[in-house]
Amino acid sequence: MEKAHENYRELIWVLAKTDFKLRYHGSVFGYLWALLKPLLTFAILNFVFSSLFEIRGIGGEHYALQLLVAIILFNFFSEGTSAGLNSLIAKSQLVTKIYVPRWTIILSATLNSAMIFCMNLLVIALFFAWKGFLPSVGAIVSFVFFALATYLLVIMFSFFAAPLYVKFRDLAMIWEVLLPLLFYATPVFYPLQLLPAAIQQTLLVNPMAFIVHFTKEALADNHYAEPWQYALFGAALVLGLLISMLAYRKWIPKVAENI
Amino acid sequence: MIMHNDTVITVQHLSKTFKIPHEKISSVRGAFVSMFHGKRTYEEFQALDDVSFEVKRGEFFGIIGRNGSGKSTLLKILAGIYQADSGMVRIDGRISPFLELGIGFNPELSGRDNVYLNATVLGLAKRQIDGKFDDIVRFSGLERFIDQKLNRYSSGMQVRLAFSVAIHANRDILLMDEVLAVGDANFQKKCLEQFERYKSAGKTIILVSHDADIVRKYCDRALLLRNGRVMKLGAAEETLREYERENISDHTPSISA
């Protein structure tokens, strides 16, 4: 049987572009919202934790820079996973009325978040320029690595959860509660060092905590994780990806019947 | 060589059963409860039972049957949306894998954007859509409205645009689920002409309907399904006679009762 569809790349791209267009459709600021959202979150957290709670004293002089980068990374994760989780249900017509490979639908939803993340990089660049801060090469490499790792997390979550969500609709509510929990379990607005030493190690088991913590460390102090920590992190990513692909293959054939 | 290529669709001993849980479990809590209450009870519904047939190149093939006879399930398996439990489906050539018109249409976008979106979903590359765009719009007769938002279109206009994209998707085998009842007489006439052109170009069309008149009008051969089984396979006229007999014999008792 010949392939019914060979323009996967164009299909994914058009779906992602349409999502992007429709998301800000009809709003006055339009695409600017993609930039405003992390900036406003940043403004609030920066005000609360540097004027009211004075965590800044512990966080050091680069608190604001670290906070902005951390927010944008976590935002990428939360938006990407939510979009991925919803992808099949949101586009149920593409599942039940036509055959397109289902992974294209999931991937295009996550790609939409990746596009917003890329726009946010502009915000980071402008903010750094305004502050007159030039990150080291190591910090930039580390950031790129962790940004890709975040996208990998988004993908593995989405491929695991989207077919499952078709059957278990509670998943959306569960994830809505888990996301804020993960946010507080990730050193976004506080430095990890603020916590007792025993808890610090436990917290780093959360991959987003690992990503955000070492991105911030690299940025401010050129401090990086140990090689064994990177190795463990990489192995966990590969294992997670493997599990999610197996789950996807197991659940996807029946997805049109269950939706 | 010609003989070899003659059959474009082969379906052999196709069966499909749906498991319908008595209490639909669609939450984690439900899953836990049913885990502790022992095994779940299913209602089995056999949508297709040992269905076999072949479709030749260039044929206009009808699948007819009443609601719940398994027509749509069969079409969804041909399209690749459902997976069969057993049996074999072999398809030579590119099949149009959609059952509804205007998949992906979004009312917030312009007609133009929707043409691109829908055509991409149907498997066309942007370059191909660029080349066909004028033809698509001309066929739909919506030149004046193409840059308006789709939510300004009447439902008839939306269907015309959708149908126009569908026939330009350029597939060897087209699956059609009850779409001919749309549009006014003029548009239906255009569709018929398009079908004739398809036929002479050696394309194959599979039309699913519960309406005998539509099948009579277009199809060469037809398949009659009832409760998932093949009741009759043959020339359209013979199959339709069987279908009409079935309808009458089922209606008679209810009249006397």
Side-chain angles (χ1 to χ4, degrees):
Chain A
M1 184 171 164
E2 282 179 71
K3 275 192 290 183
H5 230 279
E6 60 270 341
N7 300 311
Y8 297 139
R9 220 180 308 159
E10 278 193 42
L11 175 67
I12 294 166
W13 180 238
V14 167
L15 289 179
K17 233 172 41 182
T18 308
D19 277 356
F20 191 71
K21 220 183 202 177
L22 286 171
R23 189 190 162 108
Y24 302 105
H25 182 87
S27 61
V28 178
F29 289 111
Y31 297 127
L32 269 180
W33 275 115
L35 308 178
L36 279 174
K37 197 186 162 193
L39 273 179
L40 291 175
T41 318
F42 165 75
I44 293 166
L45 287 177
N46 193 40
F47 170 73
V48 169
F49 292 107
S50 62
S51 307
L52 298 181
F53 288 111
E54 285 291 345
I55 289 184
R56 176 171 237 170
I58 309 157
E61 50 171 330
H62 299 307
Y63 180 77
L65 297 171
Q66 289 177 315
L67 178 63
L68 182 67
V69 173
I71 286 172
I72 285 174
L73 273 175
F74 196 86
N75 209 20
F76 183 23
F77 176 77
S78 74
E79 302 245 319
T81 50
S82 304
L85 175 67
N86 270 310
S87 56
L88 291 176
I89 302 273
K91 295 217 164 48
S92 60
Q93 219 194 5
L94 292 188
V95 177
T96 57
K97 300 294 181 192
I98 191 171
Y99 179 75
V100 295
R102 279 68 192 244
W103 58 265
T104 61
I105 302 170
I106 303 174
L107 200 65
S108 73
T110 65
L111 208 63
N112 182 37
S113 318
M115 282 154 73
I116 292 171
F117 174 74
C118 289
M119 282 177 73
N120 286 334
L121 294 181
L122 197 74
V123 175
I124 295 180
L126 288 175
F127 190 75
F128 277 31
W130 179 54
K131 287 271 176 185
F133 178 82
L134 190 68
S136 68
V137 174
I140 293 174
V141 170
S142 165
F143 175 77
V144 170
F145 171 76
F146 282 128
L148 289 174
T150 307
Y151 190 46
L152 222 56
L153 284 177
V154 167
I155 284 183
M156 71 178 74
F157 174 84
S158 303
F159 275 73
F160 180 87
L164 192 64
Y165 178 44
V166 168
K167 253 196 144 170
F168 296 107
R169 299 294 173 98
D170 296 34
L171 219 54
M173 268 67 84
I174 293 173
W175 194 238
E176 222 171 275
V177 177
L178 276 180
L179 268 178
L181 194 73
L182 270 173
F183 179 77
Y184 289 112
T186 301
V188 174
F189 59 84
Y190 59 87
L192 192 68
Q193 290 81 353
L194 201 66
L195 302 172
I199 296 180
Q200 287 184 25
Q201 288 304 314
T202 319
L203 209 62
L204 285 178
V205 173
N206 164 15
M208 276 317 287
F210 187 87
I211 288 171
V212 165
H213 173 65
F214 284 108
T215 304
K216 284 167 73 175
E217 291 280 286
L219 205 62
D221 308 318
N222 262 321
H223 174 253
Y224 303 94
E226 303 291 328
W228 68 267
Q229 285 177 309
Y230 281 118
L232 205 63
F233 180 71
L237 280 186
V238 170
L239 185 70
L241 207 58
L242 208 70
I243 291 172
S244 89
M245 293 305 149
L246 286 175
Y248 172 83
R249 285 181 57 152
K250 183 167 155 44
W251 290 326
I252 210 71
K254 291 258 178 190
V255 86
E257 293 168 31
N258 292 327
I259 214 161
Chain B
M1 193 62 190
I2 295 162
M3 287 304 287
H4 180 73
N5 274 333
D6 217 8
T7 305
V8 287
I9 296 181
T10 313
V11 173
Q12 275 171 8
H13 308 296
L14 196 69
S15 293
K16 174 79 184 171
T17 305
F18 290 107
K19 279 184 181 162
I20 305 160
H22 274 141
E23 243 181 313
K24 194 176 184 304
I25 294 165
S26 55
S27 65
V28 176
R29 196 189 74 90
F32 276 116
V33 168
S34 73
M35 245 164 63
F36 293 118
H37 281 234
K39 61 180 190 294
R40 269 184 275 175
T41 51
Y42 284 116
E43 183 117 28
E44 295 222 327
F45 174 70
Q46 183 133 30
L48 290 175
D49 185 4
D50 195 23
V51 172
S52 304
F53 64 96
E54 284 184 350
V55 180
K56 304 252 181 278
R57 185 178 306 281
E59 214 172 14
F60 212 131
F61 188 82
I63 298 175
I64 195 157
R66 285 180 298 180
N67 292 332
S69 59
K71 300 176 308 247
S72 295
T73 305
L74 178 57
L75 209 60
K76 283 190 173 185
I77 291 175
L78 290 180
I81 296 167
Y82 286 169
Q83 285 196 341
D85 296 334
S86 63
M88 187 206 74
V89 176
R90 201 170 57 84
I91 294 171
D92 276 320
R94 298 185 65 202
I95 195 163
S96 71
F98 62 98
L99 305 184
E100 224 169 64
L101 293 173
I103 292 165
F105 266 15
N106 192 299
E108 294 289 325
L109 298 174
S110 70
R112 183 183 300 274
D113 285 349
N114 272 304
V115 167
Y116 275 89
L117 183 60
N118 186 226
T120 310
V121 169
L122 300 188
L124 291 181
K126 179 165 186 309
R127 194 170 26 80
Q128 290 172 299
I129 306 170
D130 289 338
K132 289 176 179 190
F133 187 80
D134 290 340
D135 285 343
I136 292 174
V137 176
R138 198 175 313 120
F139 188 86
S140 71
L142 294 168
E143 291 93 334
R144 277 174 52 216
F145 309 100
I146 199 64
D147 285 310
Q148 286 188 18
K149 274 192 192 178
L150 203 69
N151 57 17
R152 305 235 166 230
Y153 285 32
S154 71
S155 54
M157 286 157 80
Q158 290 188 22
V159 169
R160 264 150 64 191
L161 190 64
F163 190 83
S164 187
V165 178
I167 59 164
H168 287 87
N170 204 23
R171 295 306 170 101
D172 307 318
I173 306 160
L174 276 103
L175 304 176
M176 295 275 170
D177 197 358
E178 314 261 11
V179 290
L180 292 173
V182 299
D184 51 23
N186 184 35
F187 189 71
Q188 284 200 14
K189 190 166 151 279
K190 265 163 93 178
C191 298
L192 179 62
E193 285 163 13
Q194 188 67 28
F195 283 152
E196 294 298 339
R197 233 169 291 151
Y198 270 171
K199 242 173 125 168
S200 50
K203 301 207 178 208
T204 312
I205 299 174
I206 296 183
L207 175 70
V208 172
S209 182
H210 61 251
D211 186 340
D213 291 336
I214 288 176
V215 174
R216 179 172 289 123
K217 205 159 145 193
Y218 297 112
C219 297
D220 312 315
R221 282 200 316 139
L223 170 78
L224 173 61
L225 281 179
R226 184 177 190 183
N227 299 331
R229 293 176 150 271
V230 178
M231 302 308 287
K232 179 91 186 167
L233 172 63
E237 197 50 50
E238 285 171 42
T239 308
L240 285 173
R241 223 172 292 141
E242 178 70 30
Y243 179 57
E244 275 155 0
R245 193 155 45 228
E246 176 188 303
N247 283 345
I248 291 166
S249 68
D250 278 351
H251 279 297
T252 319
S254 68
I255 292 167
S256 63

